[in-house]
Structures are given as C-alpha cells and as structure tokens.
Amino acid sequence: RKEVEQDPGPFNVPEGATVAFNCTYSNSASQSFFWYRQDCRKEPKLLMSVYSSGNEDGRFTAQLNRASQYISLLIRDSKLSDSATYLCVVNNGGNTPLVFGKGTRLSVIA
Amino acid sequence: DAGVIQSPRHEVTEMGQEVTLRCKPISGHNSLFWYRQTMMRGLELLIYFNNNVPIDDSGMPEDRFSAKMPNASFSTLKIQPSEPRDSAVYFCASSSLAGGQNEQYFGPGTRLTVT
C-alpha cells in the first residue's frame, strides 16, 4: 500500500463550482500535513499546511482527520487559474523528508 | 529572496554520457533533497542531506547515480553513464531544520532527456 494515496482524477469542473479532494495516509505517526500545488511543467509549491483543527485560506479549506488518517482540500468558487495538480503531503516527524502523493489533477472549465 | 536555484534547466544528452545537475539551496536552509518526477512514478525522493551529510540514499536507483554536497550552498547529482530511462524532471528542494513544520521549497527543476 502506498504511504499517501490520492485519486489521480482528472476532475473537470465548471468555473464557480466547489470541488473536494481527499487523501489517505498509512503512517499513524505522521506529524504534519500539507497540500502542494503543481502547475504543468513547473515545480511543486506549497499551497497550505493542514492543521488538526482545520484551516481556511480564502477559497481553500483543509481538514485533517487523524483517527481515519484522512486529509481533504475543498476549493470553493473555482477559478480557471485553479487548474493544476494538487499533491497531498505528509511528514513523519523530525528531519525526515516529506512524503508526496502522486497528485490529483484539476481542470476548471469556462 | 532567491529561491532554490537549479542548473541547467534543460539537458539533452546521448546514452552513455555523464550528466551533472546542480543545485543551490535557499540560504540558511540546512536540509537538501533531490527528487525525480515522471508521469508513471510521480515524485520520488532520491537522496537527502542534513547539514551537508547524506542521510538516506535508498532512493538512488543504481550505482550510476551519485550525489554530493561539498558545502551548505551547493549540491550535485551525477548520472554516469546515462540511459534513456533516466529521462525525467529532477527537482532539488531545501528546508530549514529549525522550521516548525518542515516545509520544503522546490527549485524549478532540470528536464533531462537521454536519447
């Protein structure tokens, strides 16, 4: 079983739609969690950290369920510029590297 | 502030040739990571360094791959000899051990094509 699993998509949604991505992780000792965004032919960039209490950044809301080892990202009022691949990322603590999912591709259509 | 710098941005070479990829991490960051990304396998960690010391190279695919970090501001990833299946985008990333949540910052990548 992969350590971080995501639905690869693609998710094709119209502008203005709300879309949600889910991710599961296998290591119950994972300590910190992130969503990264990767545009076509570009490097991954940090979108937001995910906190236990859930957190919001504008149109983006991230949630963490430690009991179920499940992370989600909700995008409201989708824009064309949200089209990208969204990578679910976990850190297992200390100085260990981040563990990346393979990403979920989103296409927002006019 | 300058981000992670990688060179070259694109490399096209023939099978059997030596390839050297370069990375300059963000100043003050003391962890450095080399990744490879392909459509099939996604983002794979090859090796990482803490304070210039290699910590885990279990992701390095074969002896043809080697990485060095002679000082805090420079690292190389070398492939010798290169093979067509090495074609991928190679990313370098850095982070600060002092950072509470260990966020990593990626360079723009080197797109390698081996013919």
Side-chain angles (χ1 to χ4, degrees):
Chain A
R1 181 185 171 189
K2 291 190 175 62
E3 190 163 352
V4 178
E5 297 212 51
Q6 297 180 249
D7 181 343
F11 284 58
N12 300 315
V13 303
E15 270 188 291
T18 295
V19 61
F21 306 136
N22 303 318
C23 162
T24 57
Y25 61 95
S26 61
N27 187 345
S28 59
S30 295
Q31 296 188 4
S32 49
F33 308 89
F34 309 91
W35 284 100
Y36 274 67
R37 170 192 169 132
Q38 187 172 21
D39 291 289
C40 187
R41 301 179 78 85
K42 298 283 192 181
E43 72 273 24
K45 291 186 178 177
L46 178 66
L47 176 67
M48 58 196 300
S49 301
V50 186
Y51 302 116
S52 296
S53 54
N55 49 296
E56 193 173 298
D57 183 359
R59 297 181 293 108
F60 297 81
T61 300
Q63 300 231 307
L64 168 65
N65 183 324
R66 284 189 183 270
S68 303
Q69 295 179 205
Y70 171 99
I71 306 160
S72 66
L73 176 68
L74 183 79
I75 306 175
R76 288 182 299 280
D77 188 23
S78 301
K79 312 288 185 195
L80 295 175
S81 57
D82 294 334
S83 299
T85 296
Y86 291 83
L87 301 163
C88 178
V89 186
V90 307
N91 175 240
N92 296 325
N95 304 331
T96 59
L98 300 179
V99 182
F100 287 79
K102 292 184 79 170
T104 298
R105 213 168 92 223
L106 171 66
S107 289
V108 181
I109 305 159
Chain B
D1 287 340
V4 176
I5 298 171
Q6 290 188 247
S7 65
R9 295 291 301 275
H10 301 272
E11 176 83 30
V12 180
T13 190
E14 291 183 348
M15 185 172 69
Q17 296 299 304
E18 177 178 300
V19 174
T20 299
L21 312 181
R22 296 173 176 79
C23 175
K24 177 178 167 50
I26 292 171
S27 178
H29 280 190
N30 38 23
S31 288
L32 183 141
F33 308 83
W34 282 102
Y35 292 89
R36 175 171 71 176
Q37 187 174 41
T38 60
M39 288 290 292
M40 290 295 294
R41 300 168 73 99
L43 200 59
E44 302 174 280
L45 177 70
L46 300 177
I47 184 171
Y48 78 99
F49 298 82
N50 285 343
N51 295 318
N52 314 338
V53 176
I55 303 300
D56 184 355
D57 66 355
S58 59
M60 297 284 259
E62 300 168 32
D63 290 346
R64 299 184 296 107
F65 286 67
S66 62
K68 293 183 180 178
M69 192 165 186
N71 58 60
S73 58
F74 184 65
S75 177
T76 59
L77 177 69
K78 188 176 292 188
I79 309 173
Q80 165 65 12
S82 58
E83 296 183 3
R85 60 194 166 119
D86 302 330
S87 298
V89 181
Y90 290 81
F91 288 106
C92 176
S94 69
S95 69
S96 169
L97 287 173
Q101 288 222 49
N102 202 17
E103 297 163 6
Q104 288 182 13
Y105 297 86
F106 283 77
T110 295
R111 186 169 295 274
L112 173 66
T113 303
V114 183
T115 60

